[in-house]
Amino acid sequence: MAYFDSASSAPLHPVAHQALQAALDEGWADPARLYREGRRARLLLDAAREAAAEAVGCRPDELVFTPSGTYAVHAGVAGARAARRRVGGHVVVSAVEHSSVLHAAHTRAADGADADVTEVPVDRAGAVSPETYAAALRADTALACLQSANHEVGTVQPVAAVAEACRAAGVPLLVDAAQSLAWGPVDGAWSLLTASAHKWGGPAGVGLLAVRKGVRFAPQGPVDERESGRVPGFENLPAIVAAAASLRAVRAGAEDEAARLRTLVDRIRARVPELVPDVEVVGDPVLRLPHLVTFSCLYVDGETLLHALDEADFSVSSGSSCTSGTLTPSHVLRAMGVLSEGNVRVSLPSGTAEAEVDRFLSVLPGLVAGVRERLGAPVGPAARTGAAADAPSLVVDALGKLCPIPVIELAKVIGDVPVGGTVTVLSDDEAARLDIPAWCEMRGHEYGGRQGTAYLVRRLV
């Protein structure tokens, strides 16, 4: 089985496995106690903190361990915002942040006031503009949040430039570095940083929260004497030791492995559009994570394609609405305005063999073609049916039908109107908001906009 979903969770690194076993024997005691076993546990905890802080690029006393990356995000957002409540409650985030950041930002304040959040838009590659981000900062902005790299499409964000804008405005910047920390430290004068161990091959259940000295921070909820009063409860010391050891090991070989995986991902980015018709590769082609590539296939049901890949022994992920179990495509694809049909995210773990990538490229075209055939998707340019040929306008009723059926029905009839004629697609599928405009761009037709459930398309070729 080829596991191509390390962006969700990386396989446990061998160093993490070894460190976990050793720490279970040596690190079971309470590191807050002064007797021999406690002192031994404290030495392990201190060493783990120093190793993690070195990888992050902060002081050991600025970093605490949390029960998960999500906990680190929630604690970081809540603590930073509460500490600046006299300034105001406004929070700035990018529109493509991880859901944990968006959920935390949109949580009501302690006094019950509605959250005041500005979501900064992104370009079609998924990146924010530093100038647009800076313009969203206000006098009452308590906190700004920006991921270091996107978890769905791999685009690297301009953190250093945004951090400088935040510094000039006197606003702390929280960086979610979950996807990038394995590859290197985050540049720029950020104020808070979060990460999650299972993203780099550490055990699940360990997160990092770094708060720079001088950044105002007020932990929320009950606290105790552990982890600088920011994370209550007994530390999971064996998992923490394994997380820190694996992070150090991963970073030691990050440069060489990043170069190797980037070559493999470049091959996927180049070959998939050549092998599979009607594909859009999304995300920045250059400023991106080295191991991740995302593409979307027209006329494809994402869930069916992922099942087909699973049967072919490939584990991948998707942001398609029909795969995520919701009626809406991922908020990342929606913010980017790109095709969501048949979305596939490939994120290669360290050590991925070149032969596995070649096998993926060899089986993908047949699997996509099979899914399209089962759905009755058109093959090649739209053919004229003759039944309604040259009608100046047509209406396609796709109400109640989910992706990718509305776009397939559109493609079947576009040849039945003359150049300049229109097709109105009736669709209540949320994915149509992305997929019909994307289809028009890919096919060279004019998207005329949407009114309610009606989408207007004008034939240009």
Side-chain angles (χ1 to χ4, degrees):
M1 189 76 181
Y3 182 76
F4 285 179
D5 195 24
S6 64
S8 292
S9 188
L12 191 66
H13 195 281
V15 169
H17 189 275
Q18 296 167 4
L20 185 62
Q21 290 287 343
L24 286 171
D25 294 332
E26 297 292 330
W28 50 266
D30 186 346
R33 302 305 173 207
L34 299 180
Y35 42 71
R36 180 180 305 165
E37 295 85 355
R39 295 196 304 272
R40 184 185 301 127
R42 169 56 65 179
L43 288 173
L44 289 173
L45 181 59
D46 289 345
R49 197 183 314 279
E50 290 177 3
E54 181 181 6
V56 169
C58 67
R59 293 170 33 164
D61 59 353
E62 294 174 330
L63 184 144
V64 296
F65 295 103
T66 67
S68 68
T70 296
Y71 187 105
V73 166
H74 290 178
V77 171
R81 182 162 57 181
R84 287 172 51 82
R85 60 184 177 273
R86 292 184 180 179
V87 172
H90 180 238
V91 178
V92 178
V93 300
S94 83
V96 294
E97 293 298 312
H98 189 273
S99 58
S100 63
V101 175
L102 297 179
H103 292 161
H106 284 280
T107 297
R108 286 189 170 194
D111 59 4
D114 289 337
D116 183 8
V117 181
T118 296
E119 293 191 8
V120 179
V122 297
D123 60 22
R124 197 169 175 83
V128 300
S129 159
E131 293 76 19
T132 303
Y133 200 103
L137 302 173
R138 306 186 325 213
D140 64 339
T141 302
L143 178 67
C145 302
L146 181 64
Q147 60 190 189
S148 54
N150 187 259
H151 50 292
E152 288 196 28
V153 301
T155 298
V156 172
Q157 298 290 354
V159 172
V162 170
E164 181 57 28
C166 290
R167 185 200 61 77
V171 176
L173 176 66
L174 182 148
V175 176
D176 169 18
Q179 290 297 334
S180 72
L181 193 60
W183 305 108
V186 178
D187 294 332
W190 50 264
S191 303
L192 303 95
L193 181 143
T194 63
S196 186
H198 73 100
K199 302 292 187 181
W200 66 68
V206 179
L208 306 179
L209 170 60
V211 182
R212 296 283 199 193
K213 291 294 182 183
V215 175
R216 297 181 63 184
F217 192 85
Q220 300 301 287
V223 299
D224 58 25
E225 72 281 1
R226 299 181 186 275
E227 293 302 295
S228 302
R230 293 174 180 167
V231 184
F234 198 94
E235 298 93 345
N236 184 352
L237 186 54
I240 287 172
V241 169
S246 57
L247 179 56
R248 172 176 283 177
V250 166
R251 288 285 286 277
E255 185 175 354
D256 290 342
E257 187 63 6
R260 193 182 72 84
L261 292 182
R262 185 174 289 275
T263 299
L264 297 180
V265 167
D266 284 342
R267 184 180 306 175
I268 297 174
R269 291 183 66 91
R271 292 292 289 153
V272 167
E274 296 173 353
L275 297 169
V276 182
D278 301 317
V279 165
E280 181 180 16
V281 181
V282 300
D284 196 292
V286 178
L287 301 177
R288 59 173 176 80
L289 293 171
H291 68 303
L292 194 154
V293 56
T294 300
F295 56 88
S296 299
C297 308
L298 269 178
Y299 317 134
V300 169
D301 172 1
E303 183 174 2
T304 302
L305 179 57
L306 261 62
H307 282 312
L309 284 166
D310 182 52
E311 291 176 357
D313 292 334
F314 289 100
S315 300
V316 299
S317 183
S318 174
S320 294
S321 57
C322 45
T323 304
S324 60
T326 71
L327 295 179
T328 60
S330 84
H331 69 279
V332 172
L333 300 179
R334 190 166 64 247
M336 294 169 62
V338 297
L339 181 69
S340 71
E341 288 179 20
N343 180 261
V344 174
R345 180 185 71 181
V346 173
S347 49
L348 306 178
S350 295
T352 297
E354 182 178 355
E356 291 180 328
V357 171
D358 289 340
R359 187 169 71 86
F360 175 79
L361 292 172
S362 69
V363 304
L364 180 68
L367 297 179
V368 172
V371 174
R372 287 172 171 168
E373 182 179 5
R374 288 194 292 275
L375 291 172
V379 178
R384 299 167 67 87
T385 65
D390 290 330
S393 63
L394 289 175
V395 175
V396 173
D397 187 354
L399 293 172
K401 299 177 181 178
L402 301 182
C403 68
I405 300 303
V407 177
I408 289 177
E409 296 301 318
L410 167 62
K412 286 179 177 179
V413 304
I414 192 68
D416 292 338
V417 298
V419 173
T422 62
V423 176
T424 299
V425 182
L426 304 180
S427 175
D428 49 7
D429 177 20
E430 188 69 22
R433 296 191 183 192
L434 294 180
D435 295 344
I436 291 177
W439 180 89
C440 290
E441 183 171 335
M442 295 173 72
R443 279 284 180 255
H445 300 295
E446 178 185 340
Y447 175 59
R450 164 180 168 268
Q451 288 187 344
T453 59
Y455 297 81
L456 182 66
V457 176
R458 186 178 305 278
R459 181 183 175 186
L460 296 184
V461 294

